Amino acid sequence: MPKSIVFTVTTDISHDQRMLRIAGTLAEAGFNVTLVGRVLPHSPALQKKNFRQHRFKCLFRKGPLFYLEYNLRLVLWFFTHSFEVYGAVDADTALACIITSMWRRKPFVFDAHELFPEMPEVVHRPVVKDIWAAVERMAFARASLAYTVSSSLVSYFQQKYKREVHLIRNMPLRQKKLGEPEVPPYFIYQGALNIGRGLETLLEAMQQVPARLVICGEGPLKAHLHEIAAKLGVQDKVIFKGNVAPDALAQITSSAYAGLMLLDNQGLSYYYSLANKFFDYVQAGIPQVCVPFPEYQRLNSAYEVALFTQNEVFEVRNTMLTLLQDQETYQQLRQNCMIAREEWSWETEGQKLVALYARFL
């Protein structure tokens, strides 16, 4: 019988591309995989996959009561659903998996997508930060296997917790069909509409950029960003798409002129990040405007696929204009993406994941 693995997240799993890839790859490798997340008011129906999926409908949407409710629901669900490996994705679902793996005497795996105590929403709230730090410390102490998304985070966690932490990066599947930039052109932002993502700066920069902006994602800043766009007079060239299914998102991205990868330096979680959108843009064959954080500098030194900018209106605007006006630079970056995409794909990174989980076979 194949080994059964459960992965727990607080996201709507229908849009969680990293977890869909991880679950699908391990299922193909012979594991019996279940992915557990939550359902939101506008969540689409789940698509049939080669692994099981389950979503909780929670009374609370955010804050301490949400995290408490979600972990309690998980523990109760685990009473009637047993697995041979319990995998928590980030600290926000770790407690339920740690508790259950201990009383069932099964392995616990910790997949740290974020440095949770250093997230912008947490880093300046000492009590909340201490709570998440304690959960993270417990997770790394208990985990039979731990991995994260960037080399910087690997070094940080290994130094802090004095244990082995592996690297599994957020790389997309290799796209078979590539588009051409639409005319008139548009820039694309993929991701959550959260604080610290440079979205307010981007909207202000768009006042002097002769192109459209397509924003694919949802989040707590959505209404605020609509207000800013209207106030700045850019609402006619900023398109809010909301959450987009992975296949449709890949198509929209490949027809974009360039991607946007902006973050504020608000805590080490962002500073050490390696966002999946960086690789999504490369895989789509489009250059990007990117912040010069360590991981992006390291990758860009191997294949120059991005122009770096500080997350300030003047800098962002000028970098976007450079891509629009300097065709020699633009075409060279685009050609570099075509080379890099052959290496930076889930087809190669997924093999490393399977090798890690082979210890449980």
Side-chain angles (χ1 to χ4, degrees):
M1 289 290 290
K3 289 279 187 178
S4 61
I5 305 175
V6 63
F7 291 109
T8 60
V9 296
T10 57
T11 59
D12 175 1
I13 55 179
S14 59
H15 296 295
D16 193 329
Q17 295 190 60
R18 174 176 168 90
M19 290 315 302
L20 292 173
R21 286 193 292 266
I22 286 176
T25 297
L26 291 176
E28 287 178 7
F31 290 94
N32 186 349
V33 180
T34 300
L35 179 58
V36 180
R38 63 165 164 161
V39 63
L40 297 169
H42 302 291
S43 292
L46 291 173
Q47 300 297 309
K48 185 175 177 59
K49 302 289 182 182
N50 61 346
F51 53 88
R52 293 184 178 87
Q53 303 170 82
H54 182 77
R55 295 188 294 194
F56 294 118
K57 185 176 183 180
C58 296
L59 296 173
F60 300 98
R61 298 275 300 279
K62 59 183 179 179
L65 289 176
F66 161 69
Y67 293 114
L68 178 61
E69 177 192 4
Y70 193 82
N71 277 272
L72 285 173
R73 283 179 178 271
L74 272 176
V75 170
L76 292 173
W77 190 74
F78 285 148
F79 273 109
T80 55
H81 297 78
S82 62
F83 302 90
E84 292 170 283
V85 179
Y86 290 81
V89 180
D90 284 325
D92 50 0
T93 67
L95 272 179
C97 288
I98 292 170
I99 291 169
T100 307
S101 67
M102 289 177 69
W103 68 261
R104 287 199 183 274
R105 297 184 179 182
K106 298 295 184 180
F108 166 67
V109 173
F110 190 46
D111 178 354
H113 289 193
E114 308 277 0
L115 179 47
F116 231 74
E118 290 286 334
M119 293 182 66
E121 300 88 344
V122 172
V123 69
H124 299 300
R125 300 163 65 191
V127 174
V128 177
K129 180 177 178 177
D130 287 347
I131 291 171
W132 287 123
V135 173
E136 181 185 273
R137 187 165 55 249
M138 192 185 313
F140 276 107
R142 168 66 185 167
S144 302
L145 168 66
Y147 53 92
T148 188
V149 295
S150 78
S151 299
S152 296
L153 284 175
V154 167
S155 299
Y156 176 88
F157 287 136
Q158 288 188 154
Q159 184 175 358
K160 186 176 180 67
Y161 297 112
K162 311 300 181 188
R163 61 154 300 152
E164 186 176 38
V165 179
H166 298 274
L167 174 64
I168 300 294
R169 294 173 295 181
N170 275 339
M171 292 182 177
L173 291 165
R174 193 173 291 127
Q175 283 185 234
K176 294 180 174 60
K177 294 182 180 179
L178 294 179
E180 290 292 330
E182 278 193 12
V183 179
Y186 63 86
F187 288 81
I188 186 168
Y189 167 85
Q190 294 184 15
L193 310 187
N194 292 336
I195 62 172
R197 303 293 182 98
L199 292 163
E200 299 92 334
T201 299
L202 179 56
L203 290 177
E204 195 169 344
M206 284 299 297
Q207 290 180 293
Q208 284 83 39
V209 175
R212 296 169 294 158
L213 170 63
V214 174
I215 297 176
C216 297
E218 293 282 353
L221 285 187
K222 184 176 181 179
H224 178 58
L225 294 172
H226 274 281
E227 292 174 4
I228 292 176
K231 183 178 179 180
L232 295 173
V234 297
Q235 68 273 21
D236 291 339
K237 60 178 182 177
V238 178
I239 301 115
F240 290 87
K241 289 277 192 181
N243 283 332
V244 180
D247 289 346
L249 181 60
Q251 185 174 358
I252 294 170
T253 304
S254 69
S255 297
Y257 189 81
L260 296 156
M261 177 49 241
L262 303 177
L263 289 171
D264 292 328
N265 188 0
Q266 297 185 12
L268 292 177
S269 186
Y270 275 10
Y271 187 66
Y272 288 157
S273 69
L274 181 50
N276 60 316
K277 66 172 70 70
F278 180 90
F279 295 114
D280 288 340
Y281 299 148
V282 173
Q283 196 56 227
I286 62 171
Q288 60 190 286
V289 176
C290 185
V291 288
F293 290 177
E295 291 298 315
Y296 309 116
Q297 289 200 48
R298 183 181 292 116
L299 288 164
N300 213 49
S301 67
Y303 299 102
E304 189 180 6
V305 296
L307 292 185
F308 288 128
T309 180
Q310 298 301 320
N311 194 10
E312 299 172 3
V313 175
F314 177 80
E315 297 282 349
V316 171
R317 180 185 68 223
N318 283 357
T319 309
M320 295 172 75
L321 289 174
T322 296
L323 286 178
L324 287 169
Q325 296 169 358
D326 185 344
Q327 279 303 299
E328 183 178 350
T329 296
Y330 177 81
Q331 293 300 335
Q332 183 60 62
L333 292 172
R334 188 171 172 88
Q335 185 58 41
N336 294 344
C337 289
M338 298 301 182
I339 300 170
R341 67 189 295 273
E342 296 303 313
E343 180 182 339
W344 294 344
S345 72
W346 187 249
E347 280 80 358
T348 57
E349 202 71 7
Q351 294 174 16
K352 301 175 187 176
L353 178 79
V354 173
L356 288 181
Y357 277 86
R359 69 184 65 187
F360 298 120
L361 288 173

